[in-house]
Amino acid sequence: MDLQKQEFQKPDPRQPGSPAASELRASDAERDRIADLLHDALAEGRLTADEHAERVEGVLRAKTVGELEVFVRDLPAAHRQGAGPVHPAAPRRPSAGAIPIDPDDNVVAVFSSAVRKGRWRAGRRIHAYAIFGSVEIDLSEALFDHQQVVVKSFAIFGSVDIRVPENVSLRGMGGGVLGSFEVATLDSGEPEAPIVYVDGWAVLGSVEARPRRGKVVADILDRVQRKADRSLRKHLGH
């Protein structure tokens, strides 16, 4: 019986050993994460435009996790994220039914400029149109009544410039046609933080969205406290 057990436990020489983590095939999600880190490094000035383009091209060709890690090995953000987020990252697209079809606010500049800034209340859907003009949407001091906000931007021979607080999550969903559509992907450290999605097109124009350093949504902690208070009152039966 012992002999049979020993024979059963012998490794099969024909069966390959388990691959190391770095040798596993890379997924699209992992490629997207590395591309986001490279984009942030470009925005921070850690990479030149040529270095960024070269590394992104390498990311698209990479087949394993180890090959991907090579492109961000010298970037601080890659090591900060090594321990993994304490909560799930913001989704790449809004939740179904969270955003209305019609805009809550329109910001239009045709051969002119338009600005929305200061202490204003951000709706769930904001449309920005810059046609031979410029639009500035500054959410750094805005009041967020909803966790998910979409800024639909159309820059046609014009520019749309979007600024957000540095403690929200920021996602880009649009593109450029002979133009520039640049969104600095951002993940908030607060699960209650708003998520700003920038969508649309830049046609012979530019759409840019990035955080305004030093500006935060101050009431995020208040929201967390109110939620905790409600849970406590419910638990105590009040």
Side-chain angles (χ1 to χ4, degrees), residues 192 223-238:
E192 298 291 324
R223 295 183 193 181
V224 175
Q225 185 62 51
R226 289 195 298 269
K227 185 176 180 180
D229 290 344
R230 286 196 301 270
S231 299
L232 181 60
R233 288 196 297 269
K234 184 178 180 180
H235 179 72
L236 295 175
H238 295 297

Side-chain angles (χ1 to χ4, degrees), residues 16 18-19 50 53 67 69 74 77 82 88 90 111-112 131 143 149 153 165 167 180 198 200 205 207 214 217 237:
S18 299
D50 289 341
E67 291 174 359
E69 291 173 349
D74 59 346
F111 287 99
S112 62
I131 304 173
L143 298 173
V149 174
S153 305
N167 62 338
S180 171
V198 180
V207 174
V217 179

Side-chain angles (χ1 to χ4, degrees), residues 91-94 99 124-128 137 139 148-155 160-164 168-176 180-186 195-202 206-211:
R92 296 176 62 84
R93 294 187 174 276
I99 306 299
R124 286 177 293 175
R125 177 184 284 269
I126 303 166
H127 282 190
I137 296 178
L139 294 164
Q148 299 185 56
V149 174
V150 167
V151 182
K152 189 87 171 183
S153 305
F154 300 94
V160 177
D161 190 29
I162 301 163
R163 295 293 178 268
V164 302
V168 306
S169 292
L170 182 61
R171 294 288 184 271
M173 305 187 298
S180 171
F181 194 100
E182 296 286 342
V183 176
T185 300
L186 184 67
I195 309 170
V196 179
Y197 296 92
V198 180
D199 197 3
W201 291 93
S206 66
V207 174
E208 182 183 69
R210 65 175 185 268

Side-chain angles (χ1 to χ4, degrees), residues 10-102:
K10 284 183 179 179
D12 186 347
R14 295 170 297 177
Q15 182 178 358
S18 299
S22 61
E23 297 174 349
L24 296 175
R25 303 285 291 194
S27 68
D28 288 340
E30 287 164 333
R31 290 189 182 89
D32 288 343
R33 183 180 68 85
I34 297 300
D36 288 343
L37 290 176
L38 293 174
H39 184 83
D40 291 345
L42 174 65
E44 294 169 357
R46 299 183 188 276
L47 295 176
T48 66
D50 289 341
E51 289 172 333
H52 174 261
E54 182 180 355
R55 294 193 187 197
V56 169
E57 184 179 350
V59 166
L60 296 176
R61 292 198 307 263
K63 291 183 172 56
T64 67
V65 173
E67 291 174 359
L68 286 177
E69 291 173 349
V70 170
F71 297 106
V72 294
R73 187 175 295 163
D74 59 346
L75 300 179
H79 302 286
R80 288 198 299 267
Q81 293 188 7
V86 296
H87 62 87
R92 296 176 62 84
R93 294 187 174 276
S95 305
I99 306 299
I101 297 176
D102 297 324

